[in-house]
């Protein structure tokens, strides 16, 4: 893993426990509800949230879909998300440590791929987009 990733992991490990603090604007329920509504997920959808942090989006969409995978580089962030999912009895969600630039999934594995407030963390922005596109199922016209 490169230096930048290690620096991000260290920073977010410190922030993990308080990351969903009610004072954080990006964790407000109204914003999450808006995102989930606009996605328009189906009960049969498989969802991937990359650079998921505490998986707040993944946990929000989980009741509407078949399954959710939350991927993040920081184990401490995933642990907070997993604890919250267990507390809220969300059982169709899994948590995987990994990088957005190297998604460990087969081509066209997911119906929905999402990320939120993350691209400023990536050294090269194009690679995560390419990976997201690769694992996203193609829609037939």
């Amino acid at each position: 893993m490169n230096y930048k990733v290690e620096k991000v992991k260290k920073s977010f490990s410190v922030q993990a426990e308080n990351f969903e603090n009610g004072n954080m604007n990006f964790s407000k329920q109204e914003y999450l509800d808006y995102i989930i509504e606009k996605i328009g997920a189906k009960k049969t959808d498989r969802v991937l949230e990359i650079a998921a942090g505490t998986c707040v989006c993944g946990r929000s969409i989980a009741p509407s879909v078949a399954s959710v995978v939350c991927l993040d580089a920081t184990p401490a962030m995933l642990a907070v998300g997993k604890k919250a999912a267990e507390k809220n009895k969300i059982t169709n969600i899994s948590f995987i440590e990994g990088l957005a630039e190297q998604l460990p999934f087969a081509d066209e594995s997911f119906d929905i791929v999402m990320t939120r407030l993350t691209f400023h963390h990536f050294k090269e922005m194009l690679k995560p987009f390419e990976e997201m596109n690769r694992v996203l199922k193609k829609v037939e016209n």
Side-chain angles (χ1 to χ4, degrees):
M1 217 170 272
N2 68 37
Y3 172 75
K4 172 126 168 106
V5 172
E6 288 304 320
K7 195 172 178 182
V8 168
K9 285 174 73 169
K10 184 176 181 180
S11 175
F12 279 108
S13 291
V14 172
Q15 298 176 53
E17 283 300 319
N18 294 311
F19 199 72
E20 292 184 37
N21 181 313
N23 296 326
M24 303 289 266
N25 288 333
F26 52 82
S27 294
K28 288 187 177 180
Q29 192 60 49
E30 66 186 283
Y31 298 164
L32 295 168
D33 292 344
Y34 177 82
I35 291 167
I36 301 313
E37 176 190 335
K38 294 302 177 187
I39 288 172
K42 299 183 297 275
K43 277 290 192 189
T44 56
D45 285 340
R46 292 190 66 225
V47 177
L48 171 63
E49 181 183 7
I50 67 163
T54 60
C55 315
V56 69
C57 286
R59 287 184 282 121
S60 294
I61 201 169
S64 304
V65 300
S67 64
V68 178
V69 175
C70 293
L71 178 132
D72 197 87
T74 307
M77 295 290 273
L78 292 171
V80 169
K82 184 175 184 179
K83 184 178 176 181
E86 289 169 352
K87 178 182 175 186
N88 292 300
K89 297 180 178 28
I90 301 170
T91 59
N92 64 334
I93 192 167
S94 59
F95 305 85
I96 297 176
E97 182 181 349
L99 299 175
E101 298 89 341
Q102 300 168 345
L103 297 177
F105 308 108
D107 295 354
E108 299 187 40
S109 299
F110 297 93
D111 301 290
I112 297 169
V113 179
M114 57 196 262
T115 191
R116 182 181 69 116
L117 305 173
T118 60
F119 276 88
H120 62 284
H121 295 294
F122 303 135
K123 184 177 179 180
E124 296 177 40
M125 290 187 197
L126 185 58
K127 188 62 178 167
F129 274 119
E130 290 172 344
E131 282 292 278
M132 291 171 74
N133 187 55
R134 180 183 65 76
V135 300
L136 184 63
K137 288 181 183 174
K138 308 305 179 244
V139 178
E140 295 182 27
N141 294 335

